[in-house]
Amino acid sequence: MTGLEVPETHPRYESLVTRHRIEEGVDLGITSKQGLIAQGRGEAFDYLLGEETITSADAAERAAAAYLLRADRPVISVNGNVAALAPGETVELAAVTGAEIEINLFNRTDERMERIAEHLRNHGAETVKGLSADGRIPGLDHERAKVDADGIGSADVVLVPLEDGDRAAAISEMGTTELVVDLNPLSRSARVATVPIVDNLLRAVPNMTAHARDLADTDADTLDSVIDDFDAERALEDAEERIRGARSSCDRLT
Ligand code: PTJ
C-alpha cells in the first residue's frame, strides 16, 4: 500500500514511493522539513549506487544483524525520516533481534516525539523509548543530547539510521557499537560507524531482518565470525568505487 498512482514497473518506482512517504510524514507532523532535504541528498547517492543493495552493503547488513543478535542491550534509534519511511519494517527488525526502539530527534519537540510514538504504536510497537529523556549523550548541546538512560544511554549496540554526523561521533565516543545506515559513504556518520551500511533505509531494514531471521538459531561462534569477517573500511571504499563508476549502474534509471 503506497497511495501512489505510479506503476511498479516505472524505473524510478522505489524512489517515487520514498518521496511520497516522506511527504506524507511531513503532512502527519512526524518528519521535519529538513527531513525532505536529507532525503534529497540521500536520493542523489542512491541514484549513483544504481538504487540497489550492493554486495558490500548486503555484507554490512548481515554483520549488523549479527551484532544486534549478539548484543545484551540493543537499541534501534528512530528519527522523523525513519518513522515515515519504514515504521512497520523497523518494528519487525526490533522484534526479530530483541532490540528496543527509541525515538531520538535532531529537531526535537514534544509534539513530534508524541506523534512518532503514536505512529510506531500504530505499526505494532509495544514499547517506545525516548520520551523520558533522563539520560544525556556527553559532548552535545541540550536537545540533541537527550536519550533514555535505560535505552540509548546504556545500550551496547545502537542502530542509527540517517544520523547527523556530530551525534554519530558522540555516540561512538561513548564506546557504543554503532551501526549506521547512510547512503553517503563519505559522511562522518558512516566513517565513525563500527558497521557503515551504505544502502537505502527502505532496502536496508528488511534485509537486516531477513539476515537476522537466517542467523537467529546459529551459535555465538558463527555470529562472531560474521562480525569478524566484515571489513568496514573495505565496505566504504567499495561504495565509493561504485559511485565513481556510476555511469553503468545509472544506465537503466532515467
Ligand atoms: O527527524 P530529525 O529531527 O531527527 O531529523 C532527521 C534528519 C535526517 C533531518 C537529520 O538527522 C539530518 O539533518 O540529517 P543529515 O545531516 O542531513 O544526514 C542525513 C544523511 O542520511 C545524509 O548523509 C543522507 O545521504 C542520508 N540519507 C538520506 N535519506 C536516506 C539516507 N540514507 C539511507 N536511506 C535514506 N532513505
Side-chain angles (χ1 to χ4, degrees):
M1 205 285 294
T2 64
L4 181 69
E5 300 305 316
V6 177
E8 287 187 30
T9 50
H10 190 290
R12 312 294 321 285
Y13 176 77
E14 218 180 89
S15 152
L16 295 171
V17 169
T18 308
R19 285 184 189 183
H20 182 69
R21 287 192 187 172
I22 286 285
E23 223 183 321
E24 266 185 350
V26 174
D27 289 343
L28 290 170
I30 60 178
T31 307
S32 70
K33 286 185 186 161
Q34 284 188 25
L36 292 169
I37 299 166
Q39 173 59 34
R41 184 142 66 120
E43 201 175 287
F45 285 103
D46 204 16
Y47 184 83
L48 295 172
L49 285 162
E51 294 179 1
E52 64 184 1
T53 301
I54 61 175
T55 307
S56 54
D58 181 60
E61 285 152 13
R62 194 166 178 81
Y67 266 113
L68 288 170
L69 290 169
R70 274 298 260 151
D72 292 324
R73 300 176 64 86
V75 176
I76 302 175
S77 178
V78 170
N79 63 19
N81 285 47
V82 177
L85 289 177
E89 294 85 344
T90 301
V91 170
E92 202 177 343
L93 176 62
V96 172
T97 56
E100 297 278 6
I101 293 178
E102 176 163 341
I103 307 168
N104 188 242
L105 299 183
F106 183 76
N107 303 294
R108 185 185 176 109
T109 65
D110 289 343
E111 197 185 349
R112 279 185 70 218
M113 292 293 291
E114 289 295 344
R115 286 194 181 180
I116 293 172
E118 185 63 21
H119 190 63
L120 292 169
R121 286 188 204 108
N122 290 340
H123 283 83
E126 281 169 18
T127 317
V128 178
K129 290 191 174 292
L131 299 162
S132 52
D134 51 354
R136 294 288 177 274
I137 302 171
L140 285 180
D141 55 56
H142 192 62
E143 287 303 310
R144 291 187 313 150
K146 286 183 175 174
V147 289
D148 277 13
D150 65 350
I152 292 175
S154 53
D156 52 350
V157 175
V158 187
L159 172 66
V160 281
L162 280 74
E163 186 55 282
D164 120 85
D166 254 14
R167 199 167 43 195
I171 292 174
S172 152
E173 283 289 308
M174 287 164 66
T176 311
T177 297
E178 204 169 7
L179 320 169
V180 167
V181 181
D182 193 323
L183 280 158
N184 177 4
L186 303 173
S187 79
R188 194 144 57 104
S189 310
R191 286 188 285 119
V192 298
T194 312
V195 180
I197 300 161
V198 185
D199 199 7
N200 194 321
L201 175 86
L202 270 185
R203 296 188 297 270
V205 175
N207 199 31
M208 273 185 269
T209 304
H211 280 301
R213 284 212 168 92
D214 185 45
L215 292 168
D217 295 325
T218 53
D219 53 45
D221 286 348
T222 310
L223 291 177
D224 288 344
S225 69
V226 172
I227 287 171
D228 292 343
D229 288 349
F230 177 70
D231 182 342
E233 203 52 48
R234 183 71 217 129
L236 291 175
E237 280 167 15
D238 198 60
E240 193 180 329
E241 260 168 42
R242 172 73 173 235
I243 287 170
R244 287 184 189 279
R247 190 176 294 270
S248 58
S249 53
C250 292
D251 272 351
R252 66 190 170 75
L253 305 171
T254 53

